[in-house]
Amino acid sequence: MADLTATAIPSGPRPRRRLSGRNIMIYGTLLIVSLYYILPLWVMVMTSLKGMPEIRMGSIFSPPVEITFQPWVKAWAEACTGLNCDGLSRGFWNSVRILIPSVILSIAVASVNGYALINWKFKGSEVFFTILIFGSFIPYQVMLYPIVILLREIGLYGSLSGLVIVHTIFGMPILTLLFRNYFSSIPEELFKAARVDGAGFWGIYFRIMLPMSLPIFVVAVILQVTGIWNDFLFGVVYTKPELYPMTVQLNNIVNSVQGVKEYNVNMAATLLTGLVPLTIYFISGKLFVRGIAAGAVKG
Amino acid sequence: MAGNTLGARLMRNLNAKIAAIPMVTTALVVFLGGTAWTVLYSFTNSKLLPRNSFIGFDQYERLWSNSRWLTSIQNLMIYGILALVFTIAIGFLLAVLMDQKIRFEDTFRTIMLYPFALSFIVTGLVWQWILNPEFGIQHIVRSLGWDGFTFDPLNNPDVVLYGLLIAGLWQGTGFVMCIMLAGLRGIDDDIWKAARVDGIPRWKTYLFVVIPMMRPVFVTTLVIVASGIIKLYDLVVAQTSGGPGTASQVPAMYVYDYMFQAQNLGQGFAASSMMLLSVLIVLIPWAYLEFGGKKRG
Amino acid sequence: MTHSIQVKDLTLNFGAVSVLKTMNLDVAEGEFIVLLGPSGCGKSTLLNCLAGLLEPSDGEIWIKGKNVTWAEPSERGIGMVFQSYALYPQMTVRGNLSFGLKNARMPRDEIEKRVARAAEILQIGPLLDRKPAALSGGQRQRVAIGRALVRDVDVFLFDEPLSNLDAKLRSELRVEIKRLHSRLNNTMVYVTHDQIEALTLADRIAVMRGGIIQQLAAPQEIYNRPANLFVAGFIGSPSMNFLPGKTVDGGRAFEFAGNRIGLEGYEGAPGQRDKAILGLRPEHLVMQDTAEPGLTLPATVEIDEPMGADSLVWLKAGGQPVSVRVPVEKRPRAGQEVHLRVDIRHASVFDAGTEERV
């Protein structure tokens, strides 16, 4: 008798079906949505591994019958932009030469800004910061030409150094905000104790703030590497064709009107350009999410 | 004596002031000065080089009678409203789905967010390829036997904006989803418990309790997404180059072309000043709500 | 006696961690039960299980004679008050009180009647049209209680409701809750880590540790006859003095650092134990100048902490720190040699191995 009724008496966790309607809806939607997100990456990879004849015959979604790395080689070393036919490699190295100093300089400047704003407030420092934050909402187009004039005045217009300065300027608002918010979470007592011990502005920065803030520096690096690598507008405005960064060169290769379109080469080139930020993204994982969340918090 | 105190005041925090020179220069010279300069020179008839011959509102009159500019503005309005509504709506809905204590949350998030790491150029080029009528979706559906199927947004002036929208949403919704998810996670767990004890269904809790509580997150997202949309440039350059014809022109493109290609700086300045104005229209009410409210409270 | 809540063999595991271990608890109708324990002891988990907000791994929960193990929180006839108040911030107080009722499609005049009654009981009438942001912490907690009140339920669950308030408000609201209980006379289960709240409010206290109820008894019982070392140490501030030693003479005396204390009058049968602990509350020791064999312990005064009405004196006895509560006018000097007279009727002897009271 007791055994018969045992199943009917509520006890322990509520019985539930694994495939409830609710779960089917949630996971079904997420899977369909995921398909939309994955599809372009899939198509890019597949197309870049096919020969042109196969592309003309088959579907862009189907995997290659015969895998060829020729498009990758061609995209890297032979694709033409205008008269130059030395491939994307030139753009890649340009981007590297822009990226490294830009990332270092912008983070150095912004971290010092953030530190000064929190621990060494001076008259007007908050005003400058507010201008900076509101400045980040001004469309770049408004400031494009004045910067051309400024760079021309100091003789850096059209050079990579000029572009490095531009990236430092436009990276400043978000990075300063990032560092300012992070430094404000470090107990002020620590700063006071260091001052009592006789440390000065730079001493405290290098010996206390910097070692305590490595995670936020990593976040800043992620933010800047992806941001600068993906830049198009500044590259096209402030450099000249032989110094174009990879994104600009990529666009010129793919959207050039001359010649026969080689879609496999185009997709290989596109993937190559996307590879740096994608690598950063997949390696950094949650830190990337933290980086964009930091970008979204209000000042 | 007076000199001494002034000197002392300058010397206080001297290192900090030196360190802040880049920030001060950027804020004053580039952001404020540059903006003021552009607005000022939008009232000149500068052509190849900036000139100070002021001609009043002529550039603006020319701008607003230029059909290409009008198309650009119209496109931006249509694209902007659609992109804004859809990114925020989809981003929020995805965040809600992700918030149901699901398995593989990290995997789903990785998948939805990776496009955000890619540039608009890459985004534009991939979708240009997928939407290619000869090889892409249209081709595949036709080869499945549906011969009359037409899906060629990038070559049809009437729907080219939707082609851009598909790519723009692909790139940006993951980002909004992440912000919204962080917002949802920020809601006190006790609120959910209280609603369950009150017997409120989940959807009603979202609608009447959670969404009102997330108002600041929505506003911040709105501002970030909107100011991104106004800058829209790379995606259009890569995906459609503004075409077919001028069907997908946007203001940023107009500015660039007049400043650096058509050697008509005055027009470029006027157009960029209009862009600034549109940002201010978004920004000022937000700043008022965000910061004005705090002072009152 | 009818049971209002019955917990039968309740177990809850989070993965490999066992948070509640085959727990049994019966709560009588109209009883005020306090679940007391350090953080992580499972008290809030138990409360959430009662509310239906957490699903047990095994066992049953009965409320008012109904098996509610699988029932939704809203169907269990409970109201709940949270530590963070959990008020809906975008709604007025009235909105907060009536949201659940409206959702249950209750007639409007009935809702109004209930809101008015709750407002009257809790004296929040003037606040009805304000939003939570415009209320003080104490007012918010009243509204949170009101939200449970309008549900007109038999069982109230409180999850550390006063922890976010400052000391003064906390004691005010404590009295308020006690008054509420005597007026409504419904069952209340109250979670706290604050022993004062537990001692003042409870009909019975359940002291918990590691997912197990260590002792379930009336406050005085728990205070005077703690079931084990943990309960003895957890309850009472300043906490009980523990003197390690052994019981001798077949349990008639306790030997500590060469001193013998007779156990005549002790409630219990300690028996002969080689390792035992004598627990003495600071107020159950009296300082005096003369030694009485079998009744006193020699000690040296170290410091004293005046606390207004009385003073807590710290001494060293047989190498052990011992605290004694003395009237302020009897404060000794540091270094003074004294004798501590033990009130053995209020003492507790524990087995050092099992830590149980014997």
Side-chain angles (χ1 to χ4, degrees), chain C residues 128-336:
Chain C
L128 279 178
D129 293 313
R130 289 207 210 155
K131 289 214 174 149
L135 303 179
S136 69
Q139 290 170 331
R140 281 179 214 186
Q141 199 51 284
R142 276 167 212 261
V143 177
I145 295 171
R147 195 168 52 184
L149 209 56
V150 290
R151 291 174 56 73
D152 204 14
V153 288
D154 306 306
V155 176
F156 271 38
L157 306 175
F158 292 90
D159 191 1
E160 309 217 17
L162 306 182
S163 299
N164 281 3
L165 301 171
D166 63 47
K168 188 165 173 290
L169 264 175
R170 206 180 312 166
S171 57
E172 277 174 27
L173 262 135
R174 206 168 64 207
V175 176
E176 193 102 356
I177 289 173
K178 192 152 192 168
R179 202 172 286 145
L180 189 72
H181 180 239
S182 64
R183 173 166 176 177
L184 302 175
N185 218 5
N186 48 8
T187 312
M188 294 189 173
V189 182
Y190 187 106
V191 164
T192 183
H193 60 264
D194 182 39
Q195 47 170 305
I196 305 293
E197 276 173 33
L199 292 169
T200 51
L201 288 172
D203 292 327
R204 282 194 298 163
I205 298 174
V207 183
M208 292 179 63
R209 180 172 66 156
I212 294 170
I213 294 180
Q214 304 285 317
Q215 188 173 10
L216 174 63
Q220 274 314 305
E221 174 77 8
I222 285 197
Y223 189 79
N224 288 329
R225 278 182 292 278
N228 55 33
L229 268 182
F230 170 75
V231 176
F234 191 76
I235 300 275
S237 171
S239 70
M240 189 182 262
N241 298 301
F242 293 119
L243 305 176
K246 56 183 177 186
T247 51
V248 290
D249 287 353
R252 281 198 295 277
F254 186 87
E255 194 178 295
F256 162 67
N259 298 291
R260 259 174 193 242
I261 303 288
L263 288 178
E264 287 92 41
Y266 173 71
E267 294 178 29
Q272 185 99 8
R273 281 163 208 275
D274 281 347
K275 280 192 159 55
I277 291 167
L278 181 65
L280 297 164
R281 294 213 180 270
E283 60 269 36
H284 296 148
L285 286 165
V286 179
M287 255 182 348
Q288 59 186 44
D289 296 329
T290 52
E292 291 174 66
L295 293 175
T296 62
L297 291 168
T300 315
V301 175
E302 294 203 312
I303 52 166
D304 76 327
E305 300 178 281
M307 294 180 165
D310 48 20
S311 179
L312 192 68
V313 180
W314 288 90
L315 310 97
K316 242 320 143 28
Q320 288 288 320
V322 174
S323 62
V324 177
R325 204 188 280 274
V326 298
V328 182
E329 61 275 13
K330 291 200 177 151
R331 285 167 57 193
R333 295 174 280 108
Q336 197 177 332

Side-chain angles (χ1 to χ4, degrees), chain A residues 140-149 152 157 233-234 236-239 244, chain B residues 47-48 233 252-265 268-269:
Chain A
Y140 300 140
Q141 283 76 11
V142 179
M143 291 170 279
L144 279 183
Y145 205 83
I147 293 177
V148 169
I149 298 176
R152 204 180 272 147
Y157 181 52
L233 182 65
F234 298 142
V236 90
V237 170
Y238 297 110
T239 58
Y244 275 161
Chain B
K47 290 287 182 197
L48 176 58
Y233 176 68
M253 219 161 183
Y254 185 96
V255 171
Y256 179 83
D257 288 352
Y258 275 91
M259 270 190 202
F260 298 102
Q261 310 275 319
Q263 297 171 346
N264 192 342
L265 284 175
F269 295 151

Side-chain angles (χ1 to χ4, degrees), chain C residues 40-53:
Chain C
C41 70
K43 55 189 192 295
S44 282
T45 312
L46 175 58
L47 194 76
N48 278 303
C49 283
L50 293 180
L53 296 166

Side-chain angles (χ1 to χ4, degrees), chain A residues 22 27 36-37 47 142 230 281, chain B residues 38 100 110 114 117 166 173:
Chain A
R22 182 165 171 266
Y27 287 100
Y36 164 62
Y37 286 104
T47 308
V142 179
N230 288 339
Y281 173 71
Chain B
T38 299
Q100 305 305 311
T110 306
Y114 88 89
I166 292 175
T173 37

Side-chain angles (χ1 to χ4, degrees), chain B residues 30-44:
Chain B
V30 181
F31 287 180
L32 280 188
T35 305
W37 189 93
T38 299
V39 173
L40 183 69
Y41 274 80
S42 70
F43 295 103
T44 68

